[in-house]
Amino acid sequence: MSKRIGILTSGGDCPGLNAIIRAVVKCASQKGWEVYGIPYGTDGFLRLEDGKCHSQDFELKANCYELPGLLHGIDILQFLSGSILGSLSKGDPGDRAIAQTIIKGYQDLKLDALIAVGGDGSIDIIYDLAQQGQWNIVAIPKTIDNDVPFTERSVGFDTALDKVTSALYDLTFTAASHDRTMIVEVMGRDAGHLALASGIAGGADVILIPELISKIDEDLITDLCIRIAKLRQSGRKFSLIVIAEGVKNQTGERQKAISDYLAQQIDRVSHQLCLTDKPEFCDLDKIETRSLILGHIQRSGTPSSYDRLLAATFAKKAVDLIADEKYNQLVVWQNGTVQIESLDEVVSYIKQRHQLGICPSPVDPNGLLVQTARSLGIYLGV
Ligand code: F6P
């Protein structure tokens, strides 16, 4: 039976969103369905309602993003980062009247179903709207933070991992040339997946993530300085520290530029330590730190093959679910294949975790990557 479906991207952008959109359009077109791309997340429904846009403006044809001229026919969408639909960082409509207008937009577009591509926050918000409006919804997880529960991987994480790993590789040479300690701040919100995985892959000496250290206290900084001193004495004059943005300062609070904060703390404590006459600290005065925040570059770049495959397999599954009229599902990656989880359960779990102020899917402190980092001699702060 022919269907009319919508797709939107919500939350922070990441590589692979366009690959999802393209794959959804391709799979749906094969079935003869119509696909409507809602711009700027659920905000697009508001534009429809206030007359700024019309339903035909939203229609996505299978070939509508092809290039002109001799390059016509090149299907470029899956290679581009960002989202051709735009995205919405703060998706909570807050106001009840606005929520009602959004809900009406879905009905006025006469959609049979909506594919919502988002992280934990967006999935939570959109599922509430879907419940109120009786939308038929299927969700696809995306985020460079990899913190959507029930899925081992979200679209975007792998590309960001490559980006950070490659930055660490590049920074190694300048750090080595100047005998410096380079402190690299990595995104991830409250989760340390990106910092941990990139730190291992990029050859970091120290990885600090919020799941393992509650804050940067005096003991930790002292321990860290001693580690660096020992490294230097062993012949490695430079070091690489990866710190997740979610790591908290000495008073246990999140702060902007935690990497700069750590650099200042290392400078201060290493100076104090080198005033003591213990032989292991005699070299410490020479620690020179430089900190940098990788920032939004981590969300850019052509998606990795892995993310494109994830995008394609997730999109296929989402379209199949709609064909079977099996709604209210999150498409997930588990044990090497695509699976589904009920959005009812996923969202109530996300809500519980958010209420407690806990990341919905943190790094397992006893997991394989933490154990691997330890075995490689990487300092994790504990
Ligand atoms: O959730 C993705 C993410 O990139 C986080 O890693 C980061 O903390 C946040 O979004 C940044 O958000 P914004 O783009 O709104 O500054």
Side-chain angles (χ1 to χ4, degrees):
M1 200 179 66
S2 179
K3 289 200 187 292
R4 187 174 163 110
I5 67 169
I7 178 166
L8 59 79
T9 52
S10 186
D13 74 323
C14 66
L17 295 177
N18 289 323
I20 298 174
I21 296 166
R22 167 192 178 265
V24 164
V25 172
K26 284 201 170 249
C27 294
S29 309
Q30 301 269 351
K31 295 182 186 295
W33 298 358
E34 287 172 31
V35 183
Y36 289 82
I38 319 300
Y40 301 105
T42 48
D43 255 19
F45 288 125
L46 297 175
R47 288 167 193 236
L48 192 70
E49 290 305 303
D50 65 16
K52 283 191 187 137
C53 295
H54 303 284
S55 59
Q56 64 269 26
D57 301 334
F58 294 174
E59 191 167 3
L60 297 173
K61 300 258 193 233
N63 61 353
C64 59
Y65 295 103
E66 285 176 358
L67 296 173
L70 290 181
L71 297 183
H72 186 76
I74 295 182
D75 180 358
I76 199 171
L77 203 52
Q78 67 168 332
F79 308 123
L80 302 178
S81 61
S83 167
I84 55 161
L85 298 175
S87 195
L88 189 66
S89 281
K90 307 271 170 286
D92 190 346
D95 188 272
R96 206 179 131 70
I98 296 178
Q100 288 311 315
T101 314
I102 291 172
I103 287 167
K104 192 167 171 302
Y106 171 97
Q107 283 141 7
D108 288 351
L109 252 187
K110 298 186 176 42
L111 295 179
D112 293 308
L114 176 72
I115 297 177
V117 184
D120 59 326
S122 302
I123 290 171
D124 176 5
I125 292 162
I126 296 170
Y127 188 60
D128 281 352
L129 290 167
Q131 292 290 93
Q132 290 173 52
Q134 296 179 315
W135 299 354
N136 295 323
I137 186 171
V138 174
I140 295 180
K142 66 84 218 169
T143 165
I144 66 162
D145 306 337
N146 211 34
D147 59 351
V148 176
F150 301 95
T151 185
E152 290 158 20
R153 278 295 171 102
S154 292
V155 174
F157 176 71
D158 188 67
T159 312
L161 176 55
D162 276 351
K163 270 260 143 141
V164 181
T165 303
S166 147
L168 292 176
Y169 171 79
D170 291 342
L171 290 166
T172 301
F173 296 93
T174 173
S177 302
H178 292 273
D179 291 351
R180 280 176 175 157
T181 292
M182 196 65 81
I183 304 169
V184 185
E185 181 171 329
V186 170
M187 277 184 170
R189 211 175 285 269
D190 297 318
H193 297 284
L194 190 53
L196 178 61
S198 62
I200 295 172
D205 304 288
V206 175
I207 304 172
L208 300 177
I209 58 172
E211 291 88 342
L212 294 180
I213 54 166
S214 55
K215 57 184 179 174
I216 298 176
D217 60 18
E218 208 65 10
D219 286 349
L220 181 122
I221 303 161
T222 307
D223 216 16
L224 191 53
C225 290
I226 294 170
R227 287 287 179 135
I228 294 169
K230 284 188 177 154
L231 263 181
R232 293 162 75 87
Q233 280 154 7
S234 74
R236 182 162 157 121
K237 301 279 188 206
F238 69 97
S239 42
L240 278 182
I241 299 179
V242 174
I243 182 165
E245 65 174 350
V247 169
K248 302 196 175 71
N249 66 17
Q250 206 140 11
T251 54
E253 284 153 328
R254 281 269 311 252
Q255 74 163 69
K256 274 202 157 160
I258 192 73
S259 50
D260 292 347
Y261 175 85
L262 181 64
Q264 285 159 17
Q265 300 306 316
I266 292 177
D267 290 347
R268 178 180 61 78
V269 172
S270 69
H271 181 67
Q272 281 167 9
L273 286 175
C274 73
L275 295 178
T276 63
D277 52 8
K278 293 188 187 148
E280 65 265 39
F281 301 140
C282 62
D283 192 25
L284 262 186
D285 203 24
K286 293 182 201 131
I287 289 186
E288 205 187 342
T289 56
R290 288 290 184 274
S291 52
L292 83 154
I293 302 171
L294 288 184
H296 288 78
I297 199 89
Q298 294 163 95
R299 295 200 329 213
S300 71
T302 186
S304 65
S305 313
Y306 186 93
D307 271 336
R308 286 181 219 169
L309 287 172
L310 206 56
T313 50
F314 278 175
K316 177 212 179 288
K317 186 71 179 180
V319 170
D320 285 351
L321 286 169
I322 294 171
D324 295 341
E325 303 193 344
K326 189 167 169 57
Y327 303 120
N328 294 338
Q329 303 296 318
L330 174 69
V331 175
V332 294
W333 191 259
Q334 290 167 353
N335 304 317
T337 191
V338 179
Q339 307 276 1
I340 50 171
E341 292 285 344
S342 134
L343 273 172
D344 250 350
E345 277 172 43
V346 173
V347 170
S348 74
Y349 183 78
I350 290 174
K351 282 188 196 303
Q352 260 176 37
R353 305 283 291 191
H354 284 173
Q355 264 159 21
L356 295 170
I358 310 173
C359 169
S361 185
V363 169
D364 175 359
N366 301 310
L368 176 67
L369 286 192
V370 171
Q371 288 179 31
T372 304
R374 287 194 205 290
S375 301
L376 293 173
I378 298 171
Y379 178 68
L380 299 174
V382 279

